[in-house]
Amino acid sequence: MGLYFDFKELLPSDDRGDRAMERAGQLLAEQGLSDRAIPVLEQVLQYRAQEPIDKARVALMLADAYTHNGKPDLAVQILDKYKQFATNTVQGKNWPLAEARALLALRRPAYALESLKTSSEEQAPWLRSDAYWELQEWNRLAETLNPVVRTLQPESLPNNTANQVAVLRLAYALGQQQNRTALEALLERFGSTAREIPAMADSMAAIATQAG
């Protein structure tokens, strides 16, 4: 990566240079360096990507970088502009996920759900659960998270914040539904592990108490 920034002026103006620059932007984004990835990907999209499928691929990476960098409005704009070019299977599957992430960051959960309407990707239930949580639609939240949490093992909780959030949100939704049977089963399965996790212990206890 350091070599890229040291010698980027020497990149050839051909397919090799295009691929090298795009790869640099992708690696920066994957490392969480969205502020450095954005100008690289913007340049690739504006000056390097020529074919529609290439434009769509770079636009998708750039949109996620915008969202992660606190600029979801720009993500939505770029996705709208290049959506027509997302013609292959991978891009078609990933496009609604990127839209949903940006819309959730903009606090527009209903629109995020619309983007995810036909998505069956692995990430889709997690994004839907974010939207239902924001909308306080507890029945839909429980319906969405039940199959997700069913696949989790208690030992996965300590080192996985997303799994912790999923269990807590499902517990809260079941409490709001007054579904004591399902809540008790959830607490029996995850309770002992949750009690050892400071971020979960108090919340789980409060949910159990509230539900009676």
Side-chain angles (χ1 to χ4, degrees):
M1 189 59 65
L3 287 174
Y4 165 77
F5 284 104
D6 289 341
F7 299 102
K8 62 182 179 179
E9 292 82 5
L10 302 179
L11 282 177
S13 56
D14 58 14
D15 289 346
R16 292 175 303 156
D18 298 346
R19 288 194 297 271
M21 195 169 186
E22 180 181 332
R23 181 59 177 157
Q26 181 183 9
L27 288 172
L28 288 167
E30 289 174 352
Q31 293 170 14
L33 302 172
S34 56
D35 56 329
R36 298 179 67 187
I38 286 170
V40 176
L41 293 172
E42 285 176 337
Q43 190 170 353
V44 175
L45 185 57
Q46 187 170 0
Y47 300 111
R48 293 275 187 168
Q50 300 298 321
E51 297 299 323
I53 193 170
D54 298 327
K55 291 179 181 292
R57 183 179 62 253
V58 178
L60 193 58
M61 287 191 285
L62 180 56
D64 274 333
Y66 279 143
T67 298
H68 294 151
N69 200 44
K71 301 173 182 175
D73 52 329
L74 295 182
V76 171
Q77 290 175 25
I78 210 79
L79 289 168
D80 285 346
K81 182 175 181 180
Y82 291 96
K83 189 171 188 175
Q84 60 183 314
F85 298 139
T87 54
N88 73 15
T89 302
V90 173
Q91 291 169 355
K93 289 180 177 180
N94 288 329
W95 214 268
L97 301 177
E99 285 181 338
R101 284 190 288 268
L103 290 165
L104 285 167
L106 288 168
R107 307 292 297 274
R108 298 168 68 184
Y111 290 97
L113 288 170
E114 186 63 28
S115 292
L116 296 167
K117 196 170 186 178
T118 60
S119 178
S120 58
E121 294 305 295
E122 185 177 350
Q123 292 180 39
W126 296 85
L127 293 169
R128 288 191 184 101
S129 72
D130 288 341
Y132 290 133
W133 178 262
E134 189 73 22
L135 292 167
Q136 300 185 13
E137 293 190 12
W138 310 125
N139 292 342
R140 292 291 184 89
L141 180 60
E143 290 172 6
T144 301
L145 283 179
N146 257 316
V148 172
V149 172
R150 199 175 298 129
T151 67
L152 304 181
Q153 298 301 319
E155 55 268 26
S156 74
L157 296 185
N159 298 313
N160 192 311
T161 302
N163 288 355
Q164 295 173 25
V165 170
V167 172
L168 283 172
R169 285 183 173 180
L170 178 56
Y172 187 84
L174 294 173
Q176 292 298 306
Q177 290 179 317
Q178 294 295 308
N179 189 340
R180 295 183 181 179
T181 301
L183 180 57
E184 287 172 2
L186 185 71
L187 293 172
E188 182 177 351
R189 184 178 178 201
F190 293 100
S192 60
T193 303
R195 284 192 289 273
E196 302 300 319
I197 303 172
M200 295 188 71
D202 291 344
S203 296
M204 289 289 273
I207 291 168
T209 301
Q210 185 179 19

